[in-house]
Amino acid sequence: MKSIKILFTLISAFIFFGCSQDENLTPDQAPVESQINSLFSFTDFTKNGVVDIAKNEDGSVNIIVELSQPASEHYEVKLYEGMLDADLEVQSILDLSPIESGHTISSTDVSNTYSYEELMSANIHLRVTQNNDHDVKSATDLGANAFKASEIKTYPIVSNGDEVGTSAFIPRENGPMMVGVSLYYKDFEYGYEIDIYSGTALEGNNENVLIDLIDINERTSKSNSYTNLDEGYALPIDIEDGYLRIDRVPTHQGEEYYSKTDIGGNELTGRSISYDFDRPGSEDRINGWVKLEERVNGNTLFSYQMTGEVIPSSTYAVNLNDNNYILHGENVASLGKFPANFEGVTYADVKGLKDGSAISYDQIIEGTYSVRMNKSNDPDYNGKEVYAVSDIGQAALTDTMYEADITFTHPDFMNENMNVKIYKRLNGFTLLEVEGSDYADDNIFHDLELYTGKDHESQSSSKVAYMISIDRYYHGYRETSPYEDPNNKEITFDEMMEQGGHYRLLDSDGEEIGYAVLPN
């Protein structure tokens, strides 16, 4: 797979060039003004040299071209009228000194043709060519059209999991951005239609062309495309909600598109966070995850997958709810459907909520939400039947958890076992998980309460909080705060742990049948 080279910054280019040129200049030839431009490969838009336009103390003006690698044979260096684009038929307006095989530098005194000020405002570009004007090795815009090398964005073109090309969005100092598309390999019998569509590559409207780009035609060896955009698109971020789509024509059988690439505002920033799926109240363990990724425009790309041996055999709708999964909340956004018996990754874009309000990546991870894989294929379902859930954002659990086993003291329950885990959420609330064997009597209800101190028999201990009511179906019960103290005042996880020392399990008459001491 071909890799994309990293573009040098203008500063490093200046240092690189200055060290190889200035040390041989006499004082009257030393530049008093200079503009350095990055030189790019015409085929894949990587930087492969620099162009220095220098005004010297003696008034002379030089255009010096230096390649990053020696020329493989004799290269012509010429100036052309207008901005760089796909039209290679435009005639050159000035021949500069060539670069001979094995060398890297072309230096030309252009004082008789241009002043420094004229070159700074000229509508021109430069090409380094081999054999003829069409075989372009390197090129760049100069003067008024000079590129902003530090602002360039490159995006790989991926088809069927393989990187098959690259695209470059190259801003200018003044004027519109240029978009270049280069394919690493072009089949002679196929052409490639290239456009930018509204939306994301995942959920975009494939009928709504936002920007027409120049296509790569069939029956030609040419494998790249150059398009100068309108004035409204000066930077990649100006394409706030769009994706680059390439269609191969004639279309392969069953091929919907050749490549889709999120660009501009839809590019991923690299910020992401992942959460585990869980199946509450069930003995069957599952493996799965939910991931959120931030886009440059603030929107969120969700992805999720079920792994391991337990995978849904039915198609289920997946939703975003505005509370943790126990308090349930409202179904505020659809995350698509998880297909039956599917082992891959499912993706969904979230730009806003069902009520039309916007929501950003930051708002989700700073809020209290849950992702619910419902036992329904209806995206509007908001019942309690779920296949898997994941608390996200501030509802997610921290690493703080205290575990304790109930010691039963009543003779009727000596053979029972019960485990209590209490977790702290990021928002300071509490998740309680109780697991154990079933009770024999359908009508038995027991209350689990938290008390001060470590002595479960102490009369001086006071109740910190009522935790949960347990019956024979309590296996996997989970409860969440806000819990309340005996005065009906909300109490946080930290406050409970600061005061609490042990649990008491009480029957319906208030008699203790078991206890558990919390670890320090």
Side-chain angles (χ1 to χ4, degrees):
M1 184 180 296
K2 185 170 181 179
S3 62
I4 300 176
K5 301 177 182 176
I6 301 174
L7 295 172
F8 297 121
T9 64
L10 289 177
I11 294 175
S12 63
F14 179 82
I15 294 172
F16 167 74
F17 179 77
C19 292
S20 61
Q21 296 293 320
D22 293 349
E23 60 188 19
N24 296 319
L25 296 177
T26 61
D28 64 340
Q29 293 176 310
V32 293
E33 290 187 75
S34 176
Q35 184 187 81
I36 296 180
N37 302 271
S38 293
L39 193 62
F40 300 99
S41 164
F42 195 71
T43 56
D44 64 6
F45 322 113
T46 55
K47 182 188 170 187
N48 63 3
V50 292
V51 179
D52 182 21
I53 302 175
K55 179 180 179 181
N56 304 315
E57 287 185 355
D58 63 2
S60 62
V61 179
N62 288 82
I63 297 178
I64 305 168
V65 178
E66 182 166 3
L67 301 179
S68 301
Q69 300 293 328
S72 60
E73 57 183 81
H74 178 88
Y75 286 172
E76 298 290 334
V77 183
K78 301 179 183 181
L79 294 183
Y80 297 79
E81 189 74 37
M83 291 185 292
L84 181 64
D85 60 18
D87 182 11
L88 299 181
E89 302 302 324
V90 61
Q91 296 299 307
S92 63
I93 57 175
L94 183 65
D95 289 358
L96 304 180
S97 298
I99 301 175
E100 299 300 335
S101 176
H103 294 266
T104 59
I105 294 176
S106 161
S107 181
T108 310
D109 186 333
V110 296
S111 306
N112 293 333
T113 308
Y114 291 105
S115 69
Y116 181 80
E117 289 71 24
E118 287 173 333
L119 286 175
M120 290 301 98
S121 60
N123 182 23
I124 56 175
H125 70 273
L126 179 146
R127 299 182 207 162
V128 178
T129 63
Q130 178 181 347
N131 300 324
N132 57 67
D133 286 356
H134 293 175
D135 189 6
V136 183
K137 297 301 180 183
S138 304
T140 192
D141 274 352
L142 299 175
N145 303 324
F147 292 126
K148 289 183 180 179
S150 61
E151 302 276 355
I152 291 175
K153 279 286 187 181
T154 59
Y155 305 98
I157 296 171
V158 178
S159 180
N160 295 321
D162 295 325
E163 187 174 322
V164 296
T166 185
S167 61
F169 290 67
I170 308 177
R172 292 184 168 91
E173 294 291 343
N174 301 290
M177 178 170 54
M178 185 179 75
V179 177
V181 174
S182 176
L183 302 178
Y184 299 150
Y185 169 79
K186 179 189 177 298
D187 193 316
F188 180 77
E189 296 183 358
Y190 292 91
Y192 296 84
E193 294 179 350
I194 309 171
D195 293 292
I196 295 174
Y197 288 78
S198 295
T200 66
L202 177 67
E203 295 182 343
N205 181 350
N206 294 331
E207 304 300 322
N208 187 9
V209 175
L210 183 65
I211 303 172
D212 287 311
L213 300 182
I214 294 175
D215 299 332
I216 298 175
N217 296 323
E218 58 186 320
R219 301 199 175 280
T220 176
S221 60
K222 180 181 175 183
S223 61
N224 53 34
S225 161
Y226 282 77
T227 307
N228 290 306
L229 305 189
D230 295 334
E231 293 289 340
Y233 299 107
L235 297 171
I237 190 60
D238 291 334
I239 307 174
E240 185 177 351
D241 184 21
Y243 67 97
L244 176 70
R245 172 169 168 151
I246 301 177
D247 292 288
R248 182 161 47 184
V249 289
T251 304
H252 277 203
Q253 184 176 1
E255 183 180 70
E256 181 184 358
Y257 58 89
Y258 183 67
S259 175
K260 286 183 176 181
T261 306
D262 284 318
I263 60 173
N266 284 329
E267 179 187 7
L268 296 175
T269 66
R271 291 180 65 198
S272 66
I273 189 168
S274 298
Y275 308 90
D276 290 332
F277 261 132
D278 196 7
R279 181 183 289 176
S282 172
E283 295 182 8
D284 296 327
R285 305 305 299 175
I286 62 169
N287 294 301
W289 49 265
V290 177
K291 184 178 182 180
L292 286 68
E293 296 177 86
E294 180 191 43
R295 296 191 186 277
V296 170
N297 56 23
N299 296 334
T300 307
L301 174 64
F302 278 79
S303 57
Y304 49 90
Q305 183 181 25
M306 303 301 298
T307 59
E309 297 181 358
V310 183
I311 295 176
S313 57
S314 300
T315 297
Y316 291 142
V318 182
N319 295 329
L320 178 69
N321 279 47
D322 65 353
N323 214 320
N324 63 63
Y325 70 79
I326 294 176
L327 295 184
H328 201 109
E330 296 295 322
N331 174 354
V332 295
S334 172
L335 301 181
K337 295 181 179 181
F338 190 84
N341 302 311
F342 184 58
E343 297 184 6
V345 179
T346 303
Y347 295 89
D349 274 309
V350 173
K351 302 178 183 179
L353 304 181
K354 287 185 175 181
D355 63 6
S357 60
I359 189 168
S360 68
Y361 174 89
D362 281 337
Q363 288 172 323
I364 294 175
I365 65 173
E366 292 170 6
T368 301
Y369 293 93
S370 58
V371 173
R372 300 168 59 88
M373 183 178 292
N374 297 300
K375 288 186 177 180
S376 170
N377 63 6
D378 180 2
D380 294 321
Y381 175 82
N382 197 35
K384 294 185 177 181
E385 295 297 319
V386 295
Y387 182 84
V389 292
S390 180
D391 284 332
I392 66 174
Q394 296 303 298
L397 302 181
T398 68
D399 292 332
T400 302
M401 184 271 286
Y402 296 99
E403 182 176 7
D405 291 317
I406 296 292
T407 299
F408 285 89
T409 56
H410 194 286
D412 291 344
F413 304 101
M414 295 299 291
N415 294 325
E416 299 292 342
N417 61 80
M418 183 183 295
N419 177 264
V420 180
K421 296 185 181 76
I422 188 165
Y423 301 83
K424 180 181 179 180
R425 296 184 187 273
L426 287 174
N427 57 16
F429 288 170
T430 306
L431 172 71
L432 186 76
E433 179 180 41
V434 180
E435 293 184 342
S437 62
D438 294 342
Y439 286 102
D441 191 334
D442 292 352
N443 299 317
I444 292 179
F445 287 86
H446 293 142
D447 291 334
L448 182 68
E449 298 179 350
L450 181 63
Y451 277 76
T452 60
K454 301 294 185 180
D455 185 357
H456 71 100
E457 295 181 339
S458 173
Q459 298 298 314
S460 61
S461 293
S462 59
K463 184 166 69 173
V464 177
Y466 162 80
M467 305 305 296
I468 187 175
S469 181
I470 302 170
D471 62 15
R472 72 181 296 255
Y473 302 107
Y474 69 75
H475 183 90
Y477 261 50
R478 295 169 182 227
E479 291 292 331
T480 185
S481 57
Y483 282 104
E484 294 180 348
D485 65 16
N487 297 317
N488 298 321
K489 180 183 177 182
E490 186 175 302
I491 185 171
T492 67
F493 177 92
D494 287 340
E495 290 169 337
M496 283 196 290
M497 293 301 100
E498 287 171 3
Q499 300 176 47
H502 69 278
Y503 298 109
R504 294 182 184 180
L505 186 63
L506 309 174
D507 65 14
S508 57
D509 296 325
E511 180 183 355
E512 180 184 301
I513 63 170
Y515 71 94
V517 178
L518 282 169
N520 293 328

